[in-house]
Amino acid sequence: MRKPQYDAGQNIRREVLGAAHVANADAATTPLDAPFQQLITEAAWGTVWASDQISRRERSMLTLALLAALGNFDEIPMHIRATANTGATPQDIAETFQHVAIYAGVPRANHALKLAKKTYAEMAAEKEATDSRAGDSHDAP
């Protein structure tokens, strides 16, 4: 039986990371990692991210700071993409990584900024391509 935190976690994951990301993660789940996926869905998303004590914008900034400070760089692009849904702006993230530079080290902040710039550029290109396709469909007879 699933816990209420699991269902809440899945909903919050969809809201923050996007339905496509969650669908892809769910489809890639195997018996080996199913318990881990349940753990992070319930604990991270269904409990921590579900709390209304701080905003999703603030939580997004904290998450990115912690990922960078601890050198968990693989997760940074995913959480940069999530800022489109959490309200954290590129300026917020730049400030966040400045804190990382002072309190956790310049090399980690520098690498996190490089990943953020690359991810924001990809997001802009994807938006431009989507907007271009949408414009093309309006031009069709």
Side-chain angles (χ1 to χ4, degrees):
M1 179 196 295
R2 291 200 309 216
K3 297 179 182 177
Q5 288 94 348
Y6 183 87
D7 293 330
Q10 282 290 73
N11 290 335
I12 292 167
R13 281 178 73 203
R14 283 185 198 92
E15 292 168 6
V16 172
L17 300 176
H21 174 87
V22 174
N24 290 338
D26 287 348
T29 299
T30 68
L32 178 66
D33 68 336
F36 177 77
Q37 292 298 323
Q38 181 175 348
L39 172 70
I40 62 172
T41 300
E42 291 173 0
W45 297 102
T47 302
V48 174
W49 276 83
S51 170
D52 62 359
Q53 295 302 301
I54 61 175
S55 70
R56 287 191 181 169
R57 173 184 165 266
E58 293 164 320
R59 202 170 300 283
S60 194
M61 294 164 63
L62 283 168
T63 300
L64 283 159
L66 288 165
L67 290 170
L70 294 170
N72 294 318
F73 298 114
D74 288 346
E75 297 281 315
I76 287 178
M78 176 181 70
H79 281 281
I80 290 293
R81 287 182 175 280
T83 63
N85 299 322
T86 66
T89 67
Q91 294 75 24
D92 291 334
I93 302 313
E95 289 291 325
T96 298
F97 291 150
Q98 286 185 33
H99 263 64
V100 170
I102 298 303
Y103 291 99
V106 170
R108 288 187 177 195
N110 188 44
H111 189 63
L113 274 167
K114 182 179 7 171
L115 292 170
K117 288 179 359 182
K118 180 178 186 262
T119 305
Y120 281 128
E122 290 170 356
M123 291 167 67
E126 291 162 5
K127 182 176 180 344
E128 186 175 311
T130 299
D131 291 349
S132 176
R133 283 192 300 272
D136 291 346
S137 67
H138 292 334
D139 295 338

